[in-house]
Amino acid sequence: MLWLLRYPRPPYKCIHDQGGEFIGEAFQAKLATWGIHDGGTTSKNATANAICEQMHLTVANILRTRYNNAAPNFQVAVEEIKRALAACNHAMRCAVSTALMNNTPGETVFHCDMLLNIPVIVDLLSMQQKRQ
């Protein structure tokens, strides 16, 4: 839920896969506290599943390529994991998606380029029509 402190509240809902950390009571309580609707994906929502699966693949690839060896101690391991997840966040927000009509997820959600501080206009209606 750290992203709620860094970025604006999602306008509609929080979309997530059906992993235990997202359907658990603590996560659902946080969403309710912030007034955010729950939007779990299903096998019928191929686009949302593709984005979630790509996110998991990105995290796995970054962790696998950076950390082949065991960290010397717990504190170092925690810091390294934090750096790796920050790199994953950046990679995912800046990756162009054909499902989002060649926009990045960050541009679509925040209407701002993730590398340069410039506004981006995303045509959500034509994106929706393309999916139909």
Side-chain angles (χ1 to χ4, degrees):
M1 295 314 272
L2 180 63
W3 58 268
L4 284 174
L5 301 174
R6 292 184 181 173
Y7 300 103
R9 189 173 79 75
Y12 303 110
K13 59 185 169 182
C14 175
I15 299 174
H16 57 82
D17 63 6
Q18 296 299 317
E21 66 275 14
F22 300 116
I23 59 174
E25 188 176 317
F27 184 78
Q28 295 298 321
K30 280 284 189 198
L31 290 179
T33 301
W34 283 81
I36 300 170
H37 297 284
D38 181 40
T41 62
T42 65
S43 59
K44 295 176 184 173
N45 188 348
T47 302
N49 280 338
I51 292 170
C52 287
E53 291 302 321
Q54 190 61 42
M55 177 193 68
H56 292 155
L57 182 64
T58 302
V59 170
N61 286 340
I62 287 178
L63 290 175
R64 190 182 321 54
T65 57
R66 284 189 177 200
Y67 308 111
N68 293 352
N69 305 332
N73 63 42
F74 182 75
Q75 292 298 331
V76 172
V78 168
E79 290 303 314
E80 291 298 320
I81 293 298
K82 285 181 182 178
R83 283 192 206 112
L85 292 177
C88 292
N89 281 338
H90 182 73
M92 288 181 295
R93 289 183 187 133
C94 295
V96 174
S97 171
T98 55
L100 299 175
M101 293 184 62
N102 295 324
N103 291 311
T104 67
E107 290 173 350
T108 305
V109 173
F110 303 117
H111 302 287
C112 181
D113 188 81
M114 293 287 105
L115 296 175
L116 306 171
N117 190 18
I118 56 174
V120 174
I121 298 172
V122 178
D123 188 2
L124 295 174
L125 290 176
S126 65
M127 199 180 298
Q128 183 181 21
Q129 289 172 353
K130 179 185 174 191
R131 291 182 189 164
Q132 296 296 330

